Each structure stands twice: as C-alpha cells, then as structure tokens.
Coordinates of all heavy atoms in Angstrom, one line a residue:
L1 N -15.2 17.0 -0.8 CA -14.6 16.7 0.5 C -13.1 16.9 0.5 O -12.4 16.7 -0.5 CB -14.9 15.2 0.8 CG -16.3 14.8 1.3 CD1 -16.3 13.3 1.5 CD2 -16.7 15.5 2.5
F2 N -12.7 17.4 1.6 CA -11.2 17.5 1.8 C -10.6 16.2 2.3 O -11.3 15.4 3.0 CB -11.0 18.6 2.9 CG -11.4 20.0 2.4 CD1 -12.6 20.5 2.8 CD2 -10.7 20.7 1.5 CE1 -13.1 21.8 2.4 CE2 -11.1 22.0 1.1 CZ -12.3 22.5 1.5
P3 N -9.4 15.9 2.0 CA -8.8 14.6 2.4 C -8.9 14.4 3.9 O -9.3 13.3 4.3 CB -7.3 14.8 2.0 CG -7.3 15.8 0.9 CD -8.4 16.7 1.2
H4 N -8.7 15.4 4.8 CA -8.8 15.1 6.2 C -10.2 14.7 6.6 O -10.4 13.9 7.5 CB -8.3 16.3 7.0 CG -9.0 17.5 6.9 ND1 -8.9 18.4 5.8 CD2 -10.0 18.1 7.6 CE1 -9.7 19.4 5.9 NE2 -10.4 19.3 7.0
S5 N -11.3 15.3 6.0 CA -12.6 15.0 6.4 C -13.0 13.6 5.9 O -13.7 12.8 6.6 CB -13.6 16.0 5.9 OG -13.6 16.0 4.5
S6 N -12.4 13.1 4.7 CA -12.6 11.8 4.3 C -12.0 10.8 5.3 O -12.5 9.8 5.6 CB -12.0 11.6 2.9 OG -12.7 12.3 2.0
Y7 N -10.7 11.1 5.7 CA -10.0 10.3 6.7 C -10.8 10.1 8.0 O -11.0 9.1 8.5 CB -8.6 10.8 6.9 CG -7.9 10.0 8.0 CD1 -7.2 8.9 7.6 CD2 -7.8 10.5 9.3 CE1 -6.5 8.2 8.6 CE2 -7.2 9.8 10.3 CZ -6.5 8.6 9.9 OH -5.8 7.9 10.9
L8 N -11.3 11.3 8.4 CA -12.1 11.3 9.7 C -13.4 10.5 9.5 O -14.0 10.0 10.5 CB -12.4 12.7 10.2 CG -11.1 13.5 10.6 CD1 -11.5 14.9 10.9 CD2 -10.5 12.8 11.8
S9 N -13.9 10.3 8.3 CA -15.1 9.6 8.0 C -14.8 8.1 7.8 O -15.7 7.3 7.5 CB -15.8 10.1 6.8 OG -16.2 11.4 7.1
G10 N -13.5 7.7 7.9 CA -13.1 6.3 7.8 C -12.4 5.9 6.5 O -12.0 4.7 6.4
A11 N -12.1 6.8 5.6 CA -11.5 6.5 4.4 C -9.9 6.5 4.5 O -9.4 7.3 5.3 CB -11.9 7.5 3.3
S12 N -9.3 5.7 3.8 CA -7.8 5.7 3.7 C -7.3 6.8 2.8 O -8.0 7.0 1.8 CB -7.3 4.3 3.2 OG -7.5 3.3 4.2
L13 N -6.2 7.4 3.1 CA -5.6 8.3 2.2 C -4.4 7.6 1.5 O -3.7 6.8 2.1 CB -5.1 9.5 2.9 CG -6.1 10.3 3.7 CD1 -5.5 11.5 4.4 CD2 -7.2 10.8 2.8
L14 N -4.2 7.8 0.2 CA -3.2 7.1 -0.6 C -2.4 8.1 -1.4 O -2.9 9.0 -2.0 CB -3.9 6.1 -1.6 CG -3.1 5.5 -2.7 CD1 -1.9 4.7 -2.1 CD2 -3.9 4.7 -3.6
L15 N -1.1 7.9 -1.3 CA -0.2 8.7 -2.1 C 0.6 7.7 -3.0 O 1.5 7.0 -2.5 CB 0.8 9.5 -1.2 CG 1.9 10.3 -1.9 CD1 1.3 11.3 -2.9 CD2 2.8 11.0 -0.9
N16 N 0.2 7.7 -4.2 CA 0.9 6.8 -5.2 C 2.2 7.4 -5.6 O 2.4 8.6 -5.6 CB 0.1 6.6 -6.5 CG -1.0 5.6 -6.3 OD1 -0.9 4.6 -5.7 ND2 -2.2 6.0 -6.8
H17 N 3.2 6.6 -5.8 CA 4.6 7.0 -6.2 C 5.1 8.0 -5.2 O 5.6 9.1 -5.6 CB 4.6 7.5 -7.6 CG 4.4 6.4 -8.6 ND1 5.4 5.5 -8.9 CD2 3.3 6.0 -9.3 CE1 4.9 4.6 -9.8 NE2 3.6 4.9 -10.0
A18 N 5.0 7.7 -3.9 CA 5.5 8.6 -2.9 C 7.0 8.9 -3.0 O 7.5 9.9 -2.5 CB 5.2 8.1 -1.5
D19 N 7.7 8.0 -3.7 CA 9.1 8.1 -3.9 C 9.4 9.4 -4.8 O 10.5 9.9 -4.7 CB 9.7 6.9 -4.5 CG 8.9 6.4 -5.7 OD1 7.8 6.0 -5.5 OD2 9.5 6.4 -6.8
S20 N 8.4 9.8 -5.5 CA 8.6 11.0 -6.3 C 8.5 12.3 -5.4 O 8.8 13.4 -5.9 CB 7.5 11.1 -7.4 OG 7.6 10.0 -8.3
H21 N 8.1 12.2 -4.2 CA 7.8 13.3 -3.3 C 8.7 13.3 -2.1 O 8.7 14.3 -1.4 CB 6.3 13.4 -2.9 CG 5.4 13.3 -4.1 ND1 5.1 14.4 -4.9 CD2 4.7 12.3 -4.6 CE1 4.3 14.1 -5.8 NE2 4.0 12.8 -5.7
H22 N 9.3 12.2 -1.8 CA 10.1 12.1 -0.5 C 11.5 11.6 -0.8 O 11.7 10.5 -1.3 CB 9.3 11.1 0.4 CG 9.8 11.1 1.8 ND1 10.9 10.4 2.2 CD2 9.3 11.7 2.9 CE1 11.1 10.6 3.5 NE2 10.1 11.4 3.9
P23 N 12.5 12.4 -0.4 CA 13.9 12.0 -0.7 C 14.3 10.7 -0.2 O 15.0 9.9 -0.9 CB 14.7 13.1 -0.1 CG 13.8 14.3 0.0 CD 12.4 13.7 0.2
T24 N 13.9 10.3 1.0 CA 14.4 9.0 1.6 C 13.7 7.9 0.8 O 14.4 6.9 0.5 CB 14.0 8.9 3.1 OG1 14.7 10.0 3.7 CG2 14.5 7.6 3.7
L25 N 12.5 8.0 0.5 CA 11.8 6.9 -0.3 C 12.4 6.9 -1.7 O 12.5 5.8 -2.3 CB 10.3 7.1 -0.3 CG 9.5 6.9 1.0 CD1 8.1 7.3 0.8 CD2 9.7 5.5 1.4
S26 N 12.7 8.0 -2.2 CA 13.3 8.0 -3.6 C 14.7 7.3 -3.6 O 14.9 6.5 -4.5 CB 13.6 9.5 -4.0 OG 14.2 9.6 -5.2
R27 N 15.5 7.5 -2.6 CA 16.8 6.8 -2.5 C 16.6 5.3 -2.3 O 17.3 4.5 -2.9 CB 17.7 7.4 -1.4 CG 18.2 8.7 -1.7 CD 19.3 9.2 -0.6 NE 18.7 9.3 0.7 CZ 18.1 10.4 1.2 NH1 18.0 11.5 0.4 NH2 17.7 10.4 2.4
L28 N 15.6 4.9 -1.5 CA 15.3 3.5 -1.3 C 14.9 2.9 -2.6 O 15.4 1.8 -3.0 CB 14.2 3.3 -0.2 CG 13.7 1.9 0.0 CD1 14.8 1.0 0.5 CD2 12.5 1.9 0.9
C29 N 14.0 3.5 -3.3 CA 13.5 2.9 -4.6 C 14.6 2.9 -5.6 O 14.7 1.9 -6.4 CB 12.3 3.6 -5.0 SG 10.8 3.3 -4.0
L30 N 15.4 3.9 -5.7 CA 16.5 3.9 -6.7 C 17.5 2.7 -6.4 O 17.9 2.0 -7.3 CB 17.3 5.2 -6.6 CG 16.6 6.4 -7.3 CD1 17.3 7.7 -7.0 CD2 16.4 6.2 -8.8
S31 N 17.7 2.5 -5.1 CA 18.6 1.4 -4.7 C 17.9 0.0 -5.1 O 18.6 -0.9 -5.6 CB 18.9 1.4 -3.2 OG 19.6 0.3 -2.8
L32 N 16.7 -0.1 -4.8 CA 16.0 -1.4 -5.1 C 15.9 -1.6 -6.6 O 15.8 -2.8 -7.0 CB 14.5 -1.3 -4.5 CG 14.4 -1.5 -3.0 CD1 13.0 -1.2 -2.5 CD2 14.9 -2.9 -2.5
R33 N 15.9 -0.6 -7.4 CA 15.7 -0.7 -8.8 C 17.0 -1.4 -9.5 O 16.9 -1.8 -10.6 CB 15.5 0.6 -9.5 CG 14.0 1.1 -9.3 CD 13.7 2.4 -10.0 NE 12.5 2.9 -9.5 CZ 12.3 4.1 -9.0 NH1 13.3 5.0 -9.1 NH2 11.1 4.5 -8.6
R34 N 18.0 -1.5 -8.7 CA 19.2 -2.2 -9.3 C 18.8 -3.7 -9.4 O 19.4 -4.4 -10.3 CB 20.4 -2.1 -8.3 CG 20.9 -0.7 -8.3 CD 22.2 -0.7 -7.4 NE 22.3 0.7 -6.9 CZ 22.6 1.1 -5.7 NH1 22.8 0.2 -4.8 NH2 22.7 2.3 -5.4
T35 N 17.9 -4.2 -8.6 CA 17.5 -5.6 -8.7 C 16.1 -5.7 -9.1 O 15.7 -6.7 -9.9 CB 17.6 -6.2 -7.3 OG1 19.0 -6.1 -6.8 CG2 17.3 -7.7 -7.3
F36 N 15.2 -4.8 -8.7 CA 13.8 -4.8 -9.1 C 13.5 -3.6 -9.9 O 13.2 -2.5 -9.4 CB 12.9 -4.9 -7.8 CG 13.3 -5.9 -6.8 CD1 14.1 -5.6 -5.7 CD2 12.9 -7.2 -7.1 CE1 14.4 -6.6 -4.8 CE2 13.3 -8.2 -6.2 CZ 14.0 -7.9 -5.0
P37 N 13.4 -3.7 -11.2 CA 13.3 -2.6 -12.1 C 12.1 -1.7 -11.9 O 12.1 -0.5 -12.2 CB 13.2 -3.2 -13.5 CG 13.6 -4.6 -13.4 CD 13.5 -5.0 -12.0
H38 N 11.0 -2.2 -11.3 CA 9.8 -1.4 -11.2 C 9.5 -1.1 -9.7 O 8.3 -1.0 -9.3 CB 8.6 -2.1 -11.8 CG 8.8 -2.3 -13.3 ND1 8.8 -1.3 -14.2 CD2 9.1 -3.5 -14.0 CE1 9.0 -1.8 -15.4 NE2 9.2 -3.1 -15.3
A39 N 10.5 -0.8 -8.9 CA 10.3 -0.5 -7.5 C 9.8 0.9 -7.3 O 10.4 1.9 -7.9 CB 11.6 -0.7 -6.7
Y40 N 8.8 1.1 -6.6 CA 8.2 2.4 -6.3 C 7.5 2.3 -5.0 O 7.3 1.2 -4.5 CB 7.3 3.0 -7.4 CG 6.1 2.1 -7.7 CD1 4.9 2.3 -7.0 CD2 6.2 1.1 -8.6 CE1 3.8 1.6 -7.3 CE2 5.1 0.4 -9.0 CZ 3.9 0.6 -8.3 OH 2.8 -0.2 -8.6
A41 N 7.2 3.4 -4.4 CA 6.5 3.4 -3.0 C 5.2 4.0 -3.1 O 5.0 5.1 -3.6 CB 7.4 4.1 -2.0
N42 N 4.2 3.4 -2.5 CA 2.9 3.9 -2.3 C 2.7 4.0 -0.7 O 3.2 3.1 0.0 CB 1.8 3.0 -2.8 CG 1.8 3.0 -4.3 OD1 2.3 3.9 -5.0 ND2 1.2 2.0 -4.9
V43 N 2.1 5.1 -0.3 CA 1.9 5.3 1.1 C 0.4 5.3 1.4 O -0.3 6.0 0.7 CB 2.6 6.6 1.6 CG1 2.2 6.9 3.1 CG2 4.1 6.5 1.4
Y44 N 0.0 4.5 2.4 CA -1.4 4.5 2.8 C -1.5 5.0 4.3 O -0.7 4.6 5.1 CB -2.0 3.1 2.8 CG -2.1 2.5 1.4 CD1 -1.0 1.9 0.8 CD2 -3.3 2.5 0.7 CE1 -1.0 1.4 -0.5 CE2 -3.4 1.9 -0.5 CZ -2.2 1.4 -1.1 OH -2.3 0.8 -2.4
L45 N -2.5 5.8 4.5 CA -2.8 6.3 5.9 C -4.2 5.8 6.1 O -5.2 6.3 5.5 CB -2.6 7.8 6.0 CG -3.0 8.4 7.4 CD1 -2.1 7.8 8.5 CD2 -3.0 9.9 7.4
T46 N -4.4 4.9 7.0 CA -5.7 4.3 7.2 C -6.1 4.5 8.7 O -5.3 4.3 9.6 CB -5.7 2.8 6.9 OG1 -5.3 2.6 5.6 CG2 -7.0 2.1 7.1
P47 N -7.3 5.0 8.9 CA -7.7 5.2 10.3 C -7.8 3.9 11.1 O -8.0 2.9 10.5 CB -9.1 5.9 10.1 CG -9.6 5.6 8.8 CD -8.4 5.3 8.0
P48 N -7.8 4.1 12.4 CA -7.9 2.9 13.3 C -9.2 2.1 12.9 O -10.2 2.7 12.6 CB -8.0 3.4 14.7 CG -7.3 4.7 14.6 CD -7.6 5.3 13.2
E49 N -9.1 0.8 12.9 CA -10.3 -0.1 12.6 C -10.7 0.0 11.1 O -11.7 -0.6 10.7 CB -11.5 0.2 13.5 CG -11.2 0.2 15.0 CD -10.6 -1.2 15.4 OE1 -11.0 -2.2 14.9 OE2 -9.7 -1.1 16.3
G50 N -9.9 0.8 10.3 CA -10.2 0.9 8.9 C -9.4 -0.1 8.0 O -8.6 -0.8 8.5
R51 N -9.7 -0.1 6.8 CA -8.9 -0.9 5.8 C -8.9 -0.2 4.5 O -9.9 0.4 4.1 CB -9.4 -2.3 5.7 CG -10.8 -2.4 5.1 CD -11.2 -3.9 4.7 NE -11.3 -4.7 5.9 CZ -11.7 -5.9 5.9 NH1 -12.0 -6.5 4.8 NH2 -11.8 -6.6 7.0
A52 N -7.8 -0.2 3.8 CA -7.6 0.5 2.5 C -8.3 -0.4 1.4 O -8.8 0.2 0.5 CB -6.2 0.7 2.2
A53 N -8.3 -1.7 1.6 CA -8.9 -2.6 0.5 C -9.3 -3.8 1.2 O -8.8 -4.3 2.2 CB -7.8 -2.9 -0.5
G54 N -10.4 -4.4 0.6 CA -10.9 -5.7 1.1 C -10.0 -6.8 0.6 O -8.9 -6.6 0.1
V55 N -10.4 -8.0 0.8 CA -9.6 -9.2 0.3 C -9.4 -9.0 -1.2 O -10.3 -8.8 -2.0 CB -10.4 -10.5 0.6 CG1 -9.6 -11.7 0.0 CG2 -10.5 -10.7 2.1
H56 N -8.1 -9.1 -1.6 CA -7.8 -9.0 -3.0 C -6.4 -9.6 -3.3 O -5.8 -10.1 -2.4 CB -7.7 -7.5 -3.4 CG -6.6 -6.8 -2.8 ND1 -6.6 -6.4 -1.4 CD2 -5.4 -6.4 -3.3 CE1 -5.4 -5.8 -1.1 NE2 -4.7 -5.8 -2.2
A57 N -6.0 -9.6 -4.5 CA -4.7 -10.1 -4.9 C -4.1 -8.9 -5.7 O -4.8 -8.2 -6.5 CB -4.8 -11.3 -5.8
D58 N -2.8 -8.7 -5.6 CA -2.1 -7.7 -6.3 C -1.6 -8.4 -7.6 O -1.2 -9.6 -7.6 CB -1.0 -7.2 -5.5 CG -1.5 -6.3 -4.4 OD1 -2.2 -5.3 -4.6 OD2 -1.2 -6.6 -3.2
D59 N -1.5 -7.6 -8.7 CA -1.0 -8.2 -9.9 C 0.6 -8.0 -10.1 O 1.1 -8.0 -11.1 CB -1.7 -7.6 -11.1 CG -1.6 -6.0 -11.2 OD1 -1.0 -5.4 -10.2 OD2 -2.0 -5.5 -12.2
R60 N 1.2 -7.8 -8.9 CA 2.7 -7.6 -8.9 C 3.2 -8.0 -7.5 O 2.4 -8.2 -6.6 CB 3.1 -6.2 -9.2 CG 2.5 -5.2 -8.1 CD 2.5 -3.8 -8.6 NE 1.5 -3.8 -9.7 CZ 0.8 -2.8 -10.1 NH1 0.9 -1.7 -9.5 NH2 0.0 -3.0 -11.1
D61 N 4.5 -8.2 -7.4 CA 5.0 -8.5 -6.1 C 4.9 -7.2 -5.2 O 5.2 -6.1 -5.7 CB 6.5 -8.9 -6.2 CG 6.6 -10.3 -6.9 OD1 5.7 -11.1 -6.8 OD2 7.6 -10.5 -7.6
V62 N 4.6 -7.4 -3.9 CA 4.4 -6.3 -3.0 C 5.2 -6.6 -1.7 O 5.2 -7.7 -1.2 CB 2.9 -6.1 -2.7 CG1 2.8 -5.0 -1.6 CG2 2.1 -5.8 -3.9
W63 N 5.9 -5.6 -1.3 CA 6.6 -5.6 0.0 C 6.0 -4.6 0.9 O 6.0 -3.4 0.6 CB 8.1 -5.3 -0.2 CG 9.0 -5.3 1.0 CD1 8.9 -6.2 2.0 CD2 10.1 -4.5 1.3 NE1 9.9 -5.9 2.9 CE2 10.6 -4.9 2.5 CE3 10.6 -3.4 0.6 CZ2 11.7 -4.2 3.1 CZ3 11.7 -2.8 1.2 CH2 12.2 -3.2 2.4
V64 N 5.4 -5.0 2.0 CA 4.6 -4.1 2.9 C 5.5 -3.8 4.1 O 6.0 -4.7 4.7 CB 3.3 -4.8 3.3 CG1 2.6 -3.9 4.3 CG2 2.4 -5.0 2.1
V65 N 5.5 -2.6 4.4 CA 6.2 -2.1 5.7 C 5.2 -1.3 6.4 O 4.7 -0.3 5.9 CB 7.5 -1.3 5.4 CG1 8.1 -0.8 6.7 CG2 8.5 -2.0 4.5
Q66 N 4.8 -1.8 7.6 CA 3.9 -1.0 8.4 C 4.7 -0.3 9.5 O 5.5 -0.9 10.2 CB 2.9 -2.0 9.1 CG 1.8 -1.3 9.9 CD 0.7 -2.1 10.3 OE1 0.4 -3.1 9.6 NE2 0.0 -1.7 11.3
V67 N 4.6 1.0 9.5 CA 5.4 1.8 10.4 C 4.8 2.2 11.7 O 5.4 2.7 12.6 CB 6.0 3.0 9.6 CG1 6.9 2.6 8.5 CG2 4.9 3.9 9.1
R68 N 3.4 2.1 11.8 CA 2.8 2.6 13.0 C 1.5 1.8 13.1 O 0.8 1.4 12.2 CB 2.5 4.1 12.9 CG 2.2 4.6 14.3 CD 2.3 6.1 14.3 NE 3.7 6.5 14.6 CZ 4.1 7.7 14.4 NH1 3.4 8.7 14.1 NH2 5.4 8.0 14.7
G69 N 1.0 1.7 14.4 CA -0.3 1.0 14.6 C -0.1 -0.5 14.5 O 1.0 -1.0 14.5
K70 N -1.3 -1.2 14.4 CA -1.2 -2.6 14.3 C -2.4 -3.0 13.4 O -3.4 -2.3 13.3 CB -1.3 -3.3 15.6 CG -2.5 -3.0 16.4 CD -2.4 -3.7 17.8 CE -3.6 -3.3 18.7 NZ -3.6 -3.9 20.0
K71 N -2.2 -4.1 12.7 CA -3.1 -4.7 11.8 C -2.9 -6.2 11.7 O -1.8 -6.6 11.8 CB -3.0 -4.0 10.4 CG -3.9 -4.6 9.3 CD -3.6 -3.9 8.0 CE -4.5 -4.5 7.0 NZ -4.9 -3.6 5.9
R72 N -4.0 -6.9 11.4 CA -3.8 -8.3 11.2 C -3.7 -8.6 9.7 O -4.7 -8.3 9.0 CB -5.0 -9.1 11.8 CG -4.9 -10.6 11.6 CD -6.1 -11.3 12.2 NE -5.9 -12.7 11.9 CZ -6.8 -13.6 12.2 NH1 -7.9 -13.2 12.8 NH2 -6.7 -14.8 11.9
W73 N -2.6 -8.9 9.2 CA -2.3 -9.2 7.8 C -2.6 -10.7 7.5 O -2.2 -11.5 8.4 CB -0.9 -8.8 7.5 CG -0.6 -7.4 7.5 CD1 -0.2 -6.6 8.6 CD2 -0.8 -6.4 6.4 NE1 -0.1 -5.3 8.2 CE2 -0.5 -5.2 6.9 CE3 -1.3 -6.5 5.1 CZ2 -0.5 -4.0 6.2 CZ3 -1.3 -5.4 4.4 CH2 -1.0 -4.2 4.9
R74 N -3.1 -11.0 6.4 CA -3.4 -12.4 6.0 C -2.8 -12.6 4.6 O -3.0 -11.8 3.7 CB -4.9 -12.7 6.0 CG -5.5 -12.6 7.4 CD -7.0 -12.9 7.3 NE -7.5 -12.6 8.6 CZ -8.8 -12.3 8.8 NH1 -9.6 -12.3 7.8 NH2 -9.2 -12.1 10.1
A75 N -2.2 -13.7 4.5 CA -1.7 -14.1 3.1 C -2.3 -15.5 2.8 O -2.4 -16.3 3.7 CB -0.1 -14.2 3.1
Y76 N -2.7 -15.6 1.6 CA -3.4 -16.9 1.2 C -2.7 -17.6 0.1 O -2.1 -16.9 -0.8 CB -4.8 -16.5 0.7 CG -5.7 -15.8 1.7 CD1 -5.8 -14.4 1.7 CD2 -6.5 -16.5 2.6 CE1 -6.6 -13.7 2.6 CE2 -7.3 -15.8 3.5 CZ -7.3 -14.5 3.5 OH -8.2 -13.8 4.4
E77 N -2.7 -18.9 0.1 CA -2.1 -19.6 -1.0 C -3.0 -19.5 -2.2 O -2.6 -19.4 -3.4 CB -1.9 -21.1 -0.6 CG -0.7 -21.3 0.2 CD -0.4 -22.8 0.4 OE1 -0.5 -23.6 -0.6 OE2 -0.1 -23.2 1.5
T78 N -4.4 -19.6 -2.0 CA -5.4 -19.5 -3.0 C -6.1 -18.2 -2.8 O -6.6 -18.0 -1.6 CB -6.3 -20.7 -3.0 OG1 -5.6 -21.9 -3.1 CG2 -7.3 -20.6 -4.1
V79 N -6.3 -17.4 -3.8 CA -7.0 -16.1 -3.6 C -8.4 -16.3 -3.2 O -9.2 -17.0 -4.0 CB -6.9 -15.3 -4.9 CG1 -7.6 -13.9 -4.7 CG2 -5.4 -15.1 -5.3
P80 N -8.9 -15.8 -2.1 CA -10.3 -16.1 -1.6 C -11.2 -15.0 -2.1 O -12.1 -14.5 -1.4 CB -10.1 -16.0 -0.1 CG -9.1 -15.0 0.1 CD -8.1 -15.2 -1.0
A81 N -11.1 -14.6 -3.4 CA -12.0 -13.6 -3.9 C -12.3 -13.9 -5.4 O -11.5 -14.4 -6.1 CB -11.3 -12.2 -3.9
R82 N -13.6 -13.7 -5.7 CA -14.0 -14.1 -7.1 C -13.3 -13.3 -8.2 O -12.9 -13.8 -9.2 CB -15.5 -13.9 -7.2 CG -16.1 -14.4 -8.5 CD -17.6 -14.4 -8.4 NE -18.1 -14.9 -9.7 CZ -19.3 -14.6 -10.2 NH1 -20.1 -14.0 -9.4 NH2 -19.6 -15.1 -11.4
F83 N -13.2 -12.0 -8.0 CA -12.5 -11.1 -9.0 C -11.4 -10.4 -8.2 O -11.6 -9.3 -7.7 CB -13.5 -10.1 -9.6 CG -14.6 -10.7 -10.3 CD1 -15.9 -10.7 -9.8 CD2 -14.4 -11.3 -11.6 CE1 -16.9 -11.3 -10.5 CE2 -15.4 -11.9 -12.2 CZ -16.7 -11.9 -11.7
P84 N -10.2 -11.0 -8.1 CA -9.2 -10.5 -7.1 C -8.5 -9.3 -7.5 O -8.0 -8.6 -6.7 CB -8.2 -11.7 -7.0 CG -8.4 -12.4 -8.3 CD -9.8 -12.3 -8.7
F85 N -8.5 -8.9 -8.8 CA -7.7 -7.8 -9.3 C -8.6 -6.6 -9.5 O -8.8 -6.2 -10.7 CB -6.9 -8.1 -10.5 CG -5.9 -9.3 -10.3 CD1 -6.2 -10.5 -11.0 CD2 -4.9 -9.2 -9.5 CE1 -5.3 -11.5 -10.8 CE2 -4.0 -10.2 -9.3 CZ -4.2 -11.4 -10.0
R86 N -9.1 -6.0 -8.5 CA -10.0 -4.8 -8.6 C -9.2 -3.6 -8.3 O -8.4 -3.5 -7.6 CB -11.2 -5.0 -7.7 CG -12.1 -6.0 -8.2 CD -13.4 -6.0 -7.4 NE -14.3 -6.9 -8.1 CZ -15.5 -7.0 -7.8 NH1 -16.0 -6.3 -6.8 NH2 -16.3 -7.9 -8.4

C-alpha cells in the first residue's frame, strides 16, 4: 500500500525524528536540548475521526502540539490500560 491510500483508509501517517528532515523543527529541538537532552520531534497525520493510538502511556515525557483540526485529549492520573507501553 502507498502511504496516501493507507491514510485514506483511516490510518495515521507517522514521521519519526521529523527534526532530522525539517529545518524549523531541527532548530526547535536543538534549542530544547539545552534543557532536555533527548528532545526530538515526531509528526502524526491522522484522518478526521481517526486516532494514531488507543489509550496508552508513554515511557517518556511528551509535549504535544496540535496544529490543525480538533481532538479530545485525555490525561489520566492512573493509566487506564492493562499493558500501557505498547
């Protein structure tokens, strides 16, 4: 499958370490690394009504910036998943 056909079928597209490919993200991450040594950028493109991941927990601190569209984000004190780090 081509990425665009997967997206049109409801899948999210993911670009890991987008800072390696985009000068503005690269500068942002280099600046953040003065305080946060492992700062990098991942970019998700998710179709309307889609989701990149179900309920989960990340094994690192995450700063999310949503640049377009809308989504209902939820944060939990207790992880509501049996195996949260999938």
Side-chain angles (χ1 to χ4, degrees):
L1 283 176
F2 295 100
H4 64 278
S5 61
S6 295
Y7 177 83
L8 294 173
S9 296
S12 293
L13 303 180
L14 167 61
L15 177 59
N16 281 318
H17 293 281
D19 49 295
S20 298
H21 307 282
H22 192 280
T24 303
L25 290 175
S26 178
R27 287 190 299 274
L28 172 64
C29 290
L30 286 171
S31 177
L32 287 170
R33 285 184 194 127
R34 292 183 203 134
T35 305
F36 307 101
H38 301 289
Y40 59 91
N42 292 339
V43 174
Y44 294 81
L45 177 63
T46 302
E49 307 303 320
R51 66 169 66 177
V55 174
H56 69 285
D58 291 299
D59 59 355
R60 63 201 62 154
D61 293 329
V62 176
W63 180 39
V64 175
V65 178
Q66 184 167 334
V67 296
R68 197 166 274 169
K70 59 184 175 179
K71 175 179 178 154
R72 181 176 175 187
W73 291 90
R74 297 179 186 157
Y76 301 92
E77 282 189 43
T78 304
V79 180
R82 186 168 178 203
F83 300 106
F85 302 112
R86 289 190 170 186

